[in-house]
């Protein structure tokens, strides 16, 4: 092995030894503290400059800032930030030789952050939601289709545990229904029903849009297959001078990555504690109107995604250990000092910590409840918080609620 290359690896590794005990989350604890206190704008402002500066964590700063802007209701700002993050992920194929060499010997935490597959999908989910809230329904539907196209590509690359996102299909169906494209809405609600059979709301939605679109065959099939839901009386009882309000509840926090309990050179997801379950939607008098149901469990998806990557990480770590031994031997030979060679090998090995970076402002899961309210200004209670909603005569309304 060339002497200059050996020295490069050793000194590069030494450069990383001192900061290796810190992590992105500990370094940005002020941001995360404000985020969890729901001071979303202040949190976004804290990392604005870092998100605009090129560096190994730029994409991560963009993702966290975009989430904070979205939760603050700055949907235009969120679109700008998430679009920039998406574009940066599209140039992922470029990796410097020095970055790659150091990461093989040490860890990927010293390379530019690149999202896991589920995180890539969530970029488009937040773009779709943001476009929806800006009233750009066609753009929102385009993002929904991009989500499912991305999933197909990931499946083709061997990510076998991935399924299409029922949450994305539900969003596109809701947009179609707002636009009175009932047959398109029926098709997408039907897809949600297939992908998330435990999410019973999709059965009501498929039935409703089947009746609206004149597809009485499917309506009769749904009545026959789901007698306990009494779909015929549900449809007859729909308020005619009311609009749909879809409450999207972002519950809890995605697990965070830390060194594995069984192998500290591998990452593992650790569940975070939180005091949330389902969200009750009440009227101003405290009468319960609906309770949210889970449509997408991000924690489960994240764990599956990481487990698919473990094999590749293990292979790289094995290669790294062999390289560390070779470096120690080479330095010992080059310096004619076996002790220095051993020390060099140990120093390089000390930097071999797993990459624990991740988009940690994501929720644990998404839940949905759908209610019908009379047109005009209505008052609701979400999680004990008073919320004013204007129900339009044309279309529907999305409400977001985040709790930890």
């Amino acid at each position: 092995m060339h002497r200059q290359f050996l020295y490069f690896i050793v000194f590069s590794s030494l450069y990383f030894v001192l900061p290796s005990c810190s992590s992105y989350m500990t370094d940005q604890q002020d941001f995360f503290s404000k985020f969890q206190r729901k001071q979303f704008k202040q949190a976004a402002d804290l990392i604005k400059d870092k998100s605009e500066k090129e560096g190994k964590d730029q994409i991560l700063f963009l993702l966290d800032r975009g989430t904070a802007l979205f939760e603050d209701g700055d949907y235009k700002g969120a679109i700008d930030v998430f679009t920039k993050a998406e574009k940066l992920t599209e140039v992922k194929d470029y990796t410097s030789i020095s970055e790659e060499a150091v990461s093989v010997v040490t860890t990927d935490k010293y390379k530019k952050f690149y999202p896991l597959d589920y995180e890539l999908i969530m970029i488009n989910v937040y773009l779709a939601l943001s476009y929806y809230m800006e009233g750009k329904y066609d753009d929102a539907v385009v993002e929904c289709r991009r989500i499912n196209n991305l999933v197909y590509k990931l499946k083709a690359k061997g990510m076998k545990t991935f399924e299409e996102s029922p949450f994305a299909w539900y969003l596109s169906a809701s947009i179609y229904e707002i636009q009175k494209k009932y047959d398109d809405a029926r098709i997408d609600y039907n897809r949600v029903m297939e992908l998330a059979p435990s999410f019973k709301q999709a059965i009501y939605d498929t039935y409703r849009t089947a009746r609206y679109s004149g597809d009485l065959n499917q309506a009769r099939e749904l009545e026959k297959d789901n007698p306990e839901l009494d779909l015929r009386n549900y449809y007859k009882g729909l308020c005619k001078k009311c609009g749909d309000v879809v409450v999207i509840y972002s519950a809890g926090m995605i697990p965070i990555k830390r060194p594995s309990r069984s192998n500290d050179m591998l990452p593992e997801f650790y569940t975070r504690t939180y005091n949330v379950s389902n969200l009750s939607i009440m009227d101003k008098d405290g009468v319960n109107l609906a309770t949210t149901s889970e449509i997408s469990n991000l924690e489960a998806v994240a764990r599956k995604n990481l487990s698919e990557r473990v094999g590749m990480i293990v292979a790289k770590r094995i290669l790294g250990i062999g390289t560390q031994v070779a470096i120690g031997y080479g330095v010992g030979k080059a310096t004619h000092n076996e002790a220095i060679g051993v020390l060099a090998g140990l120093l390089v090995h000390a930097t071999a910590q797993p990459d624990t970076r991740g988009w940690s402002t994501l929720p644990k899961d998404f839940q949905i409840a759908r209610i019908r309210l009379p047109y005009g200004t209505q008052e609701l209670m979400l999680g004990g918080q008073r919320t004013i909603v204007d129900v339009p005569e044309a279309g529907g309304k999305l409400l977001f609620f985040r709790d930890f």
Side-chain angles (χ1 to χ4, degrees):
M1 192 177 291
H2 196 278
R3 182 180 299 182
Q4 288 181 330
F5 181 70
L6 286 173
Y7 289 159
F8 163 74
I9 292 293
V10 171
F11 287 117
S12 295
S13 300
L14 286 172
Y15 174 78
F16 292 121
V17 167
L18 290 177
S20 64
C21 293
S22 66
S23 68
Y24 174 85
M25 288 196 71
T26 56
D27 291 343
Q28 308 308 322
Q29 59 182 339
D30 287 346
F31 165 82
F32 289 106
S33 177
K34 282 183 167 50
F35 187 90
Q36 290 195 274
R37 293 201 301 267
K38 298 187 179 183
Q39 297 172 351
F40 298 121
K41 185 180 186 305
Q42 296 94 318
D45 290 344
L46 271 179
I47 59 173
K48 181 177 184 294
D49 291 343
K50 293 177 181 177
S51 71
E52 294 172 349
K53 184 178 179 181
E54 184 178 353
K56 68 183 182 68
D57 292 331
Q58 185 182 12
I59 292 177
L60 197 50
F61 282 119
L62 287 167
L63 297 180
D64 282 334
R65 181 166 175 250
T67 311
L69 290 171
F70 177 86
E71 299 294 356
D72 189 54
D74 183 359
Y75 303 115
K76 185 178 183 303
I79 290 170
D80 292 340
V81 171
F82 283 125
T83 298
K84 184 172 183 179
E86 184 183 35
K87 288 179 179 178
L88 286 176
T89 65
E90 292 172 354
V91 295
K92 67 182 184 303
D93 293 333
Y94 171 75
T95 303
S96 71
I97 294 174
S98 60
E99 260 189 351
E100 192 61 45
V102 171
S103 75
V104 168
V105 180
T106 57
T107 172
D108 283 343
K109 70 183 289 185
Y110 305 122
K111 291 171 59 177
K112 289 182 180 178
F113 171 80
Y114 187 75
L116 288 174
D117 301 321
Y118 80 93
E119 293 169 322
L120 288 173
I121 292 168
M122 289 307 302
I123 294 174
N124 294 104
V125 167
Y126 275 100
L127 279 169
L129 291 171
S130 299
Y131 278 124
Y132 181 105
M133 294 305 291
E134 284 289 290
K136 299 179 178 180
Y137 300 136
D138 290 340
D139 289 329
V141 170
V142 167
E143 293 299 331
C144 291
R145 294 295 177 254
R146 283 180 178 171
I147 292 164
N148 290 296
N149 288 337
L150 177 57
V151 172
Y152 295 144
K153 290 179 182 178
L154 294 172
K155 283 184 176 180
K157 291 181 178 180
M159 301 299 151
K160 301 301 183 185
T161 63
F162 264 93
E163 296 178 348
E164 300 163 62
S165 170
F167 184 54
W169 285 111
Y170 194 88
L171 180 59
S172 63
S174 299
I175 295 169
Y176 282 137
E177 188 171 4
I178 283 176
Q179 297 173 315
K180 299 187 184 301
K181 298 177 181 179
Y182 296 121
D183 198 51
D184 290 326
R186 176 191 62 81
I187 292 169
D188 285 2
Y189 282 134
N190 192 74
R191 192 70 184 129
V192 175
M193 196 169 60
E194 294 171 352
L195 292 170
S198 63
F199 183 66
K200 299 301 182 183
Q201 178 62 48
I203 301 175
Y204 290 104
D205 298 328
T206 306
Y207 181 82
R208 182 181 63 254
T209 48
R211 293 292 299 261
Y212 286 167
S213 65
D215 190 340
L216 299 183
N217 287 332
Q218 183 170 27
R220 282 190 287 266
E221 288 177 5
L222 289 169
E223 289 174 6
K224 180 181 177 182
D225 294 340
N226 303 277
E228 75 284 0
L229 299 183
D230 197 13
L231 293 172
R232 186 183 293 271
N233 284 329
Y234 151 76
Y235 180 74
K236 288 180 179 178
L238 288 176
C239 173
K240 303 305 179 185
K241 294 185 179 181
C242 295
D244 286 324
V245 176
V246 179
V247 179
I248 297 177
Y249 178 37
S250 306
M253 299 286 280
I254 198 84
I256 56 174
K257 280 186 282 184
R258 293 175 180 163
S260 172
R261 300 173 181 88
S262 58
N263 186 337
D264 62 6
M265 288 196 296
L266 297 177
E268 180 182 337
F269 274 116
Y270 287 71
T271 298
R272 287 192 268 185
T273 57
Y274 39 80
N275 298 312
V276 296
S277 52
N278 302 102
L279 177 69
S280 293
I281 296 98
M282 300 181 178
D283 66 14
K284 63 181 180 180
D285 298 318
V287 176
N288 189 61
L289 303 176
T291 302
T292 57
S293 299
E294 181 186 287
I295 189 173
S296 180
N297 188 322
L298 285 187
E299 177 168 354
V301 172
R303 291 185 184 280
K304 285 182 179 180
N305 195 183
L306 185 59
S307 69
E308 289 176 339
R309 292 290 186 91
V310 165
M312 292 182 285
I313 297 171
V314 168
K316 195 167 186 179
R317 294 281 62 81
I318 291 173
L319 175 61
I321 291 170
T323 306
Q324 291 160 14
V325 172
I327 287 172
Y329 176 78
V331 170
K333 292 283 287 183
T335 60
H336 305 292
N337 189 320
E338 184 177 344
I340 292 179
V342 171
L343 178 61
L346 290 173
L347 287 172
V348 173
H349 181 72
T351 65
Q353 299 177 355
D355 186 358
T356 57
R357 293 172 296 175
W359 187 356
S360 51
T361 48
L362 287 172
K364 170 188 172 289
D365 60 48
F366 285 105
Q367 301 177 26
I368 285 178
R370 193 180 196 107
I371 56 177
R372 289 178 72 84
L373 295 174
Y375 299 138
T377 301
Q378 305 295 334
E379 183 178 329
L380 296 176
M381 297 296 291
L382 302 180
Q385 296 183 21
R386 180 172 174 267
T387 303
I388 302 298
V389 55
D390 292 318
V391 184
E393 292 191 20
K397 188 80 172 182
L398 279 189
L399 286 181
F400 298 103
F401 188 80
R402 183 76 189 263
D403 205 3
F404 306 112

